[in-house]
Amino acid sequence: MTDTPSDPRPYQPPPGPPPDQAPPDQPPPGGYQAPGYQGSGYPAARGRRNGMGTTALVLGVVALVLVILLLFSPLGAFLGLLAILFGILGLIRVGRGEADNRGQAVAGLVTGAVALLFGILFTISVGTWFATHVNDFRNFGNCMDNATGAAAREQCGRELSNKLE
């Protein structure tokens, strides 16, 4: 058997631009492309960097929700502090013209400040209340440990309730 081509025509490269030229929507050979050039003749619009303002707003709202849940006030105060910092950074970016979400940055700053203020107040007041009544809770625990029936446990609860009033 001999290797003979079944088609006598010579090989033809696929249609397209010559090898030394690139299609109009791709950079020229050598990879150079002007900054901001998209191939349409117009420079590309620069993307906005709105992440700081958006982060400030999200952290501020989450911080307020956590502060309202009194048990999580310390975490809410910390997130409020972070919201304030991100809000300030967002306003700096808006001032430089890098971002356009001034409202989100200001709202994050305000909600973060409110959450920080109330978080600190709630944390101090709850901590002070628990510190004042620590002996009452200790006595309640001892009473519950020594209680033998349901009536004794109810009496322990009444004693604690009377001491906390």
Side-chain angles (χ1 to χ4, degrees), residues 94-111:
V94 168
R96 281 193 236 152
E98 297 174 2
D100 59 0
N101 62 341
R102 181 181 188 86
Q104 287 182 348
V106 170
L109 186 69
V110 170
T111 55

Side-chain angles (χ1 to χ4, degrees), residues 138-148 152-157:
R138 187 176 296 121
N139 291 340
F140 173 72
N142 291 336
C143 181
M144 289 297 282
D145 288 341
N146 296 330
T148 56
R153 284 192 292 275
E154 285 180 26
Q155 180 59 31
C156 292

Side-chain angles (χ1 to χ4, degrees), residues 50-87:
N50 291 331
M52 294 292 181
T54 304
T55 302
L57 180 61
V58 169
L59 285 176
V61 170
V62 170
L64 277 177
V65 170
L66 289 176
V67 165
I68 291 171
L69 304 170
L70 292 177
L71 186 61
F72 298 106
S73 289
L75 179 61
F78 176 70
L79 290 180
L81 178 63
L82 289 179
I84 291 171
L85 294 176
F86 279 108

